Amino acid sequence: MLRGKEILLGVTGGIAAYKSVYLCRELTVRGANVHVVMTKNAMNFVTPLTFQTISGNPVTHRMFELFRGPEIGHVALADRAHALVVAPATANILGKVANGLADDFLSTMIMATRVPVLFAPAMNVVMWESAAVQDNVRRLKERGFAFVGPAEGELACGVKGKGKMADPLQIVEALEGVLTPDDLAGETVLVTAGPTLEPMDPVRFISNHSSGKMGYALARAAVRRGARVILISGPTSLPPPLNAEVIRVTTAREMREAVLTQAGRASVIVMAAAVCDWRPVAMASQKIKKRSGAPPSLELEPNPDILKELGRNKRPDQILVGFAAETHDMEKGARVKLAEKRLDAIVANDVTAPGSGFHVDTNEVVIFTASGERIGVPRMSKDRVADRILGLVAKLRRGSQKPSWEPEAERPEFWEEG
Ligand code: PMT
């Protein structure tokens, strides 16, 4: 998403400026061309040389150093950029921008730009909570400036509270959100992710290899596109996506209950979870002891097919997307699931292909739609695959394609709400 993007990084004078070095690195690693603008006070914390080395671009800090012939530096730089992020943003810069002051390069550039501006505030908790700062933040938000953080935690001044600059990765995520069209604004997107665990006794279970990465990428992508996001997650070790409501479950039956409870609120449902098809018939209340002789036999029974149930009871305005994890006959398997589960689209992945399927950070998929489209998505990061899938969802929502399934006359109660 950030590849080829021109990003302006404004650094102001706070101790969190050292974290902006990591931010600069994360942005360049993702392929952005970063131009750093520092205030005079920022240079008391980090040197321009550090940012210059990381970004590969000269660092600007003097008001008149960027004049090139007829070009006026701050205007030229601001015009070329895709977005401007100010991290850390001190009470001082927020106050200046909120009150229309432009007395240094950074504040002048913010005033001169039409591109989206994202502030990552960092300051002492008392300053952050002060009426003046809160008033300025409110005014800036009303004027369309975006904010990420501040977070709570132990501050550099030794006090605990709100005022820590957001983590650099969260700032990257927020910046990607700022750069993405809000084409799912007003939608509530329910995403499922990760595996389910089906216990046989208090210490053992059957499950699968899902890490949750694909589903979490979908949840992040939906947030970026402006949707309200409910993520129903099986057990994973992933950090929760920013601004998503996360509901944690363990078994397929718990996932079913959570999905059916939330489905009435959702206008889009994407089932990326690897739900176990079977579970042990009985769960022993105590650990099954290893005995000499034959190991215990495991009797299984089927789990509910959540997606099939959703398909049967789909509202006419709801978009339903499933996944198909296949090891062979991928296209045939996916088309059967698309029809049987009455989906608007299914995302098929061959989980045996290198760089595809479980655990890895990339995926290669083919999307089949109910209206007969076949969209190949070559191997790319799960974040980008998620964006392609949600791009299709946004297109379906715009009504350029109509789902082919007719809704059923009778629906259970949970569909009535929302
Ligand atoms: O989590 P990662 O490590 O990133 O891996 C990603 C992934 C491989 C798990 C993901 O890309 C994927 O393919 N998810 C679907 C896995 C799966 O269960 O596929 P399936 O073909 O068995 O199921 C078809 C669809 O029915 C899926 O949308 C599934 O969520 C749903 N299903 C399946 C069984 C069941 N009992 N209830 C369901 O709702």
Side-chain angles (χ1 to χ4, degrees), residues 132-328:
V133 169
Q134 286 305 309
D135 199 36
N136 288 335
V137 169
R138 186 183 44 74
R139 285 163 71 185
L140 290 168
K141 282 184 178 170
E142 278 167 11
R143 286 185 214 151
F145 290 92
F147 279 78
V148 53
E152 279 197 35
E154 190 151 342
L155 307 178
C157 55
V159 179
K160 270 195 174 160
K162 206 166 182 183
K164 253 169 93 89
M165 187 172 93
D167 183 80
L169 289 180
Q170 287 187 331
I171 299 176
V172 170
E173 212 172 307
L175 184 61
E176 286 174 340
V178 160
L179 287 166
T180 309
D182 273 1
D183 54 6
L184 292 180
E187 305 286 342
T188 299
V189 178
L190 191 165
V191 179
T192 65
T196 65
L197 265 53
E198 311 297 330
M200 55 183 281
D201 72 10
V203 298
R204 304 181 182 93
F205 54 81
I206 60 168
S207 187
N208 55 63
H209 294 295
S210 173
S211 62
K213 286 178 182 172
M214 190 65 246
Y216 278 55
L218 282 156
R220 286 194 298 271
V223 169
R224 278 199 298 275
R225 287 172 176 266
R228 174 169 185 198
V229 177
I230 307 163
L231 173 64
I232 298 178
S233 173
T236 73
S237 54
L238 302 173
L242 209 60
N243 297 328
E245 182 183 334
V246 183
I247 300 171
R248 296 194 185 276
V249 296
T250 304
T251 65
R253 282 183 292 178
E254 286 170 14
M255 184 169 278
R256 174 184 174 273
E257 198 185 321
V259 168
L260 298 191
T261 305
Q262 300 300 326
R265 294 162 65 198
S267 53
V268 177
I269 302 179
V270 187
M271 286 279 302
V275 186
C276 287
D277 287 314
W278 301 282
R279 63 173 182 267
V281 167
M283 177 186 161
S285 58
Q286 293 181 320
K287 182 181 173 188
I288 302 168
K289 294 279 187 201
K290 195 167 102 185
R291 297 203 177 87
S292 52
S297 62
L298 193 59
E299 200 188 335
L300 301 177
E301 62 185 352
N303 265 327
D305 190 323
I306 307 168
L307 192 53
K308 202 168 182 176
E309 205 169 334
L310 290 170
R312 271 203 308 270
N313 301 296
K314 194 161 94 67
R315 284 199 318 259
D317 64 324
Q318 208 165 37
I319 293 175
L320 196 54
V321 180
F323 269 71
E326 306 291 344
T327 56
H328 56 285

